[in-house]
């Protein structure tokens, strides 16, 4: 009898409201935790993809750099016979450099994205690669300067043998172990060392 009285004295309307509120709060907490986890996963995936892309396009820039340095040049027979051998050689190098600049422009976009997420440190790991591109561009300009491509009438060009040999070490790829290839590889390693841990963590 006492049990019946105790149960009947419970305010069922209030109890139902309290249980409903607790259930709603529980659902909100679970939903919030789920949203937080999803947000972290999304951020992690985004950072992983960006780090992977940074490494991949760096490799593509490395390949484009070495393609510019390829010593094999296929000159147009017609241009050579017409006395435009030097101009034909210049055209080939301009095409190669154009391909390199396109890849570098793609990497520059990625470089800016990495700066947003990982600050100046991420941006700076590409500096060495930028310097190698500048080295190649300068060496090719000097290569043609020493061949008299830009010299006006009466201009004396300093194309002594030692200067040509030193410049050719940059212009021409001889192996993965040549001095300039090693400098390129070192610049690529700076990018790898920064971004590889961010890829492996996934």
């Amino acid at each position: 009898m006492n049990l019946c009285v105790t149960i009947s004295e419970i305010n069922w309307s209030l109890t139902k409201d309290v249980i409903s509120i607790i259930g709603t709060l529980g659902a909100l907490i679970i939903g919030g935790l789920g949203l937080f986890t999803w947000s972290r996963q999304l951020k992690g995936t985004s950072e992983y993809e960006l780090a992977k892309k940074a490494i991949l396009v760096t490799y593509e820039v490395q390949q484009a750099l070495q393609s510019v340095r390829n010593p094999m040049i296929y000159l147009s027979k017609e241009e050579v016979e017409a006395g435009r051998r030097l101009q034909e050689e210049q055209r080939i190098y301009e095409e190669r450099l154009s391909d390199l600049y396109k890849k570098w422009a793609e990497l520059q976009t990625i470089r800016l994205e990495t700066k947003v997420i990982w600050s100046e440190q991420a941006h700076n790991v590409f500096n060495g690669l930028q310097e190698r591109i500048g080295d190649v561009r300068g060496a090719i300009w000097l290569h043609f300067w020493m061949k008299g491509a830009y010299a006006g009438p009466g201009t004396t060009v300093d194309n002594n043998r030692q200067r040509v040999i030193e410049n050719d070490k940059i212009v021409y790829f001889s192996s993965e172990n040549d001095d300039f290839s090693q400098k390129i590889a070192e610049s690529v390693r700076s990018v790898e060392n920064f971004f590889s841990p961010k890829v492996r963590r996934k």
Side-chain angles (χ1 to χ4, degrees):
M1 185 72 174
N2 287 343
L3 182 62
C4 292
V5 171
T6 306
I7 290 172
S8 65
E9 286 175 358
I10 295 172
N11 186 337
W12 290 108
S13 175
L14 179 62
T15 303
K16 187 174 79 173
D17 289 345
V18 168
I19 290 171
S20 176
I21 289 167
I22 290 169
T24 303
L25 284 172
L28 285 171
I29 289 167
I30 290 167
L33 286 171
L35 188 63
F36 175 71
T37 303
W38 175 78
S39 174
R40 280 182 60 192
Q41 284 177 339
L42 188 65
K43 183 185 175 196
T45 301
S46 172
E47 289 180 0
Y48 164 80
E49 288 299 330
L50 184 58
K52 188 171 78 169
K53 201 188 303 182
I55 295 169
L56 175 63
V57 180
T58 293
Y59 292 154
E60 290 174 353
V61 168
Q62 181 182 25
Q63 285 182 335
L65 257 171
Q66 297 293 42
S67 293
V68 171
R69 301 178 68 224
N70 185 349
M72 297 298 292
I73 298 175
Y74 300 98
L75 301 171
S76 162
K77 183 182 176 183
E78 293 79 16
E79 292 297 312
V80 173
E81 287 176 351
R84 292 191 292 271
R85 181 188 177 91
L86 190 58
Q87 289 86 341
E88 177 65 0
E89 191 181 338
Q90 283 179 288
R91 182 192 64 76
I92 290 167
Y93 274 103
E94 281 168 11
E95 282 182 3
R96 291 179 179 183
L97 284 169
S98 177
D99 291 340
L100 171 61
Y101 297 153
K102 282 175 191 170
K103 271 292 151 202
W104 176 243
E106 187 182 341
L107 189 58
Q108 280 287 74
T109 303
I110 294 167
R111 185 186 194 187
L112 289 174
E113 288 183 59
T114 66
K115 185 178 179 181
V116 170
I117 295 174
W118 295 293
S119 77
E120 199 73 33
Q121 189 181 1
H123 187 267
N124 290 341
V125 297
F126 299 96
N127 288 350
L129 209 51
Q130 186 171 6
E131 287 169 16
R132 299 299 77 80
I133 291 169
D135 291 341
V136 165
R137 185 174 52 227
I140 289 169
W141 184 91
L142 185 58
H143 173 78
F144 287 110
W145 166 260
M146 289 190 292
K147 286 189 172 189
Y150 314 118
T155 305
T156 302
V157 176
D158 177 9
N159 59 356
N160 71 76
R161 181 166 171 71
Q162 191 55 42
R163 191 180 191 198
V164 171
I165 289 169
E166 287 304 312
N167 195 60
D168 283 353
K169 288 178 182 177
I170 298 174
V171 173
Y172 297 124
F173 170 86
S174 61
S175 78
E176 292 295 340
N177 295 317
D178 72 51
D179 288 344
F180 195 71
S181 290
Q182 287 297 308
K183 284 185 177 181
I184 294 171
E186 187 182 330
S187 300
V188 169
R189 273 193 298 274
S190 294
V191 177
E192 287 174 327
N193 291 341
F194 186 87
F195 291 106
S196 289
K198 296 168 183 12
V199 172
R200 294 197 188 100
R201 214 164 40 216
K202 179 70 176 168

